[in-house]
Amino acid sequence: MTSARATSLLAAAALFVASCAQTGNIQKIEPGERPTIESDEAGLWMQMDRVEEDLQTSGKVVTDPDLNAYVREILCQLDTSYCADVRTYIVRNADFNASMAPNGVMIVWTGIILRAQNEAQLASVLGHELAHYIDRHSLKRWREIRSTTDAAVFFTFATGGIVGILAGFAAYDSIMSFSRDMEREADTRGLTMMRESGFDPRESAKIWQQLIEERDASDEPEKKSAFFSTHPAAKERSETLAKLAEETDNTGTTIGRERHAAVTAPFRRDWLLDELRQRDYGRFEVLLNQLIEAGMEDGELLFYRGEMHRLRGEDDDAEKAIAAYTAATGSGNAPAETYRSLGLMQWSAGRTTEARAAFETYLAAQQDAEDRAMIEHYLQQMQ
Amino acid sequence: MTKRMRRIARPENRTWGRALAVTAIVLLLGACAQTQSFLTSENLAQKPANPRVLIMPTDVELSELTTAGLLEPNAAWTATGRSNVDAALDSLLAGRNATVVRYDKNGGAGSAAETQLLKLHSAVGSTILLHKYLPGFALPTKKDKFNWSLGQEATALRGPYGADYALFIYLRDSFASDGRKALIFVGALLGAGIQGGRQVGFASLVDLRSGEIIWFNRLVSQAGDLREPELARGATENLLDELPL
């Protein structure tokens, strides 16, 4: 061994010692606690404060006071002591997702509120995210990433680069599995919060079951959502949560289906449209069925079922669309657009009498219809 | 940012893109402290006798470079660095032919729009760095001219402050951790150059009548330390090199 090589190995050993900064024993954060400015945690907070500034002026954030108050109320019911440390931001996005930043910024996508069938299901998501905050998972993850990548560098040097490549893979793997461990931890703490604050913990497993059904019906099942790739396998998770929920009799019983349906009703149309625009019709159909079963306003949902068939336009979709629109019009709360879509489908099926009746109903119901001139032109063409 | 958040969301592409552009600039331009500014001559002709210049909030962030080369933001250093840069700006601009006005977060009109302008400047600045300073990335339509703008929206800043120009500053500084220093040492023994801490930044002077960037400068340096008042002053001075005021 040359002396340069020996020296470099010695130096590499020194480097290894230097790089093995302690990840430390990270305690849960206390209510009202702020990191000291010299800490690495303060650096993470600083960066997330910037993100929060962006959020505060983002057009994607839903600012409706009632909806925000509703989400906050559930969060504060889950844990009154941490409630003041967390700011919730509802972000308009059709997918199922939520995130928790170390500085207390909780982002909830509208896709989650749409899919939660009741207060308890929404509480299970908020509780899970809050648990990430309480257990300082961002800080844990950052220190873990820092020390694993540091170690990977050491191996690369000490072995002349060969083992380093393998170590790199191992480091990546450890980051991912660490993350899943934290997800499990958050599931458990979240479920405890639900139980202790009066929510029925059995709803927690159900939301995952619903997601699995959606995924299985997806037009692109191979295109796994980001969600399923970083979280514990949904099936395992649902089963674990169901088991945990049954472990004790001392448990909450609030489900809150009616209230959730009422609070989200003004938004459901927009959010369903967001989801429909993703053009995953198989998934959309399952979601609609779930919401209908959950007792949400069915006129609106049946209208969207019709829209789904109309846009997909395969096989017998045309007739299925007409059937869905017709069912919607019989339910009392179908949007006026149902008649417009029904008119279009009847017309293209050659049934002009039915088409005319539908278009006329649409125009009567929608006095200020932006497309009035076009629909009137259709009516003329039919004569 | 995804590293920081317990999230499964798609990464913020813009943020990553910007980080990537800045990183690319840093890697490719390397070397010692250097600045190279751009001026648009036609706009300078409109320069008022004693212009009012609005200093936008300085966008400063200081980080530690981990052994593996990750950046760990440091809040304490950032606070010190930012106040050093602000003090340097005050003293450097005091002797210029301009009246300096400070941006007031709560004083201006429409703070949402103003926050958007700060974000836009960081995006446009990174774009300029990439396409104007990096050989091979020049845009065909902008090859021989410098015509970048923050758009008409920037003119909204004119009213509340009565300002003619706005000065935007973006600075990032990083310092090698002990592990990184050891790695640099080992690398040197083996003949491999390992990157240490870096200072990178850019500044723009925006004409608030049009939103156009009439002067732009960037700074790339391996030395310097924004935590030290004198060195922060030096870096700021370099950054303001050839500022047409």
Side-chain angles (χ1 to χ4, degrees), chain A residues 148-311:
Chain A
T148 35
T149 53
D150 282 0
V153 168
F154 163 72
F155 282 119
T156 308
F157 262 81
T159 59
I162 296 162
V163 181
I165 296 164
L166 300 172
F169 282 120
Y172 178 76
D173 192 52
S174 123
I175 288 165
M176 293 309 289
S177 58
F178 191 72
S179 161
R180 288 187 178 202
D181 282 347
M182 290 192 294
E183 297 299 343
R184 286 189 193 97
E185 194 181 9
D187 271 350
T188 310
R189 187 188 280 283
L191 200 81
T192 308
M193 279 192 269
M194 273 182 88
R195 174 186 290 142
E196 291 174 355
S197 58
F199 293 106
D200 188 336
R202 288 171 298 183
E203 290 299 317
S204 191
K206 286 183 191 166
I207 197 163
W208 298 110
Q209 195 49 47
Q210 289 154 209
L211 274 181
I212 293 169
E213 284 171 24
E214 264 192 63
R215 183 194 55 187
D216 290 349
S218 171
D219 295 345
E220 301 172 80
E222 73 282 359
K223 193 184 116 194
K224 280 193 177 179
S225 79
F227 191 84
F228 283 109
S229 66
T230 53
H231 280 67
K235 191 165 177 292
E236 174 208 314
R237 186 172 197 175
S238 177
E239 286 165 2
T240 311
L241 282 166
K243 217 175 97 197
L244 281 173
E246 299 298 340
E247 267 176 10
T248 168
D249 295 334
N250 177 20
T251 192
T253 52
T254 302
I255 293 177
R257 188 174 64 87
E258 289 79 8
R259 173 144 187 252
H260 184 83
V263 174
T264 55
F267 308 96
R268 206 169 301 125
R269 277 193 68 178
D270 286 344
W271 297 349
L272 282 167
L273 189 56
D274 290 346
E275 179 61 34
L276 181 60
R277 282 179 176 145
Q278 310 237 74
R279 290 168 177 249
D280 189 334
Y281 301 121
R283 194 173 93 172
F284 188 69
E285 187 169 20
V286 165
L287 175 62
L288 284 179
N289 290 340
Q290 288 172 353
L291 293 175
I292 289 171
E293 276 172 40
M296 306 287 170
E297 289 183 333
D298 56 350
E300 202 168 68
L301 295 165
L302 289 166
F303 161 65
Y304 274 113
R305 178 182 284 172
E307 293 290 270
M308 186 269 295
H309 286 299
R310 182 171 71 84
L311 292 170

Side-chain angles (χ1 to χ4, degrees), chain A residues 7-8 11-12 14-15 18-19 37-40 42-44 46-48 50-51 53-54 57-58 93 95 97-102 105 107 109 129 132 137-138 141-142 145-146 149-150 153 157 179 182-183 226-227 230-231, chain B residues 1-10 14-15 59-79 105 111-113 115-116 119 172 177-180 182-183 185-187 189-190 192 194:
Chain A
T7 318
S8 71
L15 160 66
S19 70
I37 192 164
E38 294 79 15
S39 63
D40 53 351
L44 300 185
M46 177 181 75
Q47 282 214 322
M48 282 306 123
R50 284 172 184 273
V51 171
E53 274 178 29
D54 284 2
T57 58
S58 165
N93 190 312
D95 282 326
N97 212 344
S99 61
M100 186 74 232
V105 169
I107 294 174
W109 286 5
E129 297 304 328
H132 282 313
H137 281 166
S138 292
R141 177 109 190 257
W142 169 249
I145 289 171
R146 188 176 166 159
T149 53
D150 282 0
V153 168
F157 262 81
S179 161
M182 290 192 294
E183 297 299 343
F227 191 84
T230 53
H231 280 67
Chain B
M1 62 174 268
T2 44
K3 283 182 197 123
R4 314 278 186 275
M5 296 185 83
R6 305 263 32 81
R7 63 185 274 164
I8 331 88
R10 301 177 187 112
R14 277 179 306 125
T15 313
D59 187 350
V60 178
E61 192 170 293
L62 278 69
S63 311
E64 185 179 37
L65 190 65
T66 74
T67 313
L70 305 174
L71 286 175
E72 179 175 288
N74 186 300
W77 297 351
T78 299
K105 196 178 178 186
S111 75
T115 308
Q116 293 293 327
K119 286 158 66 179
R172 294 290 178 269
S177 62
D178 290 346
R180 187 73 176 182
L183 182 65
F185 178 67
V186 175
L189 288 178
L190 297 176
I194 305 233

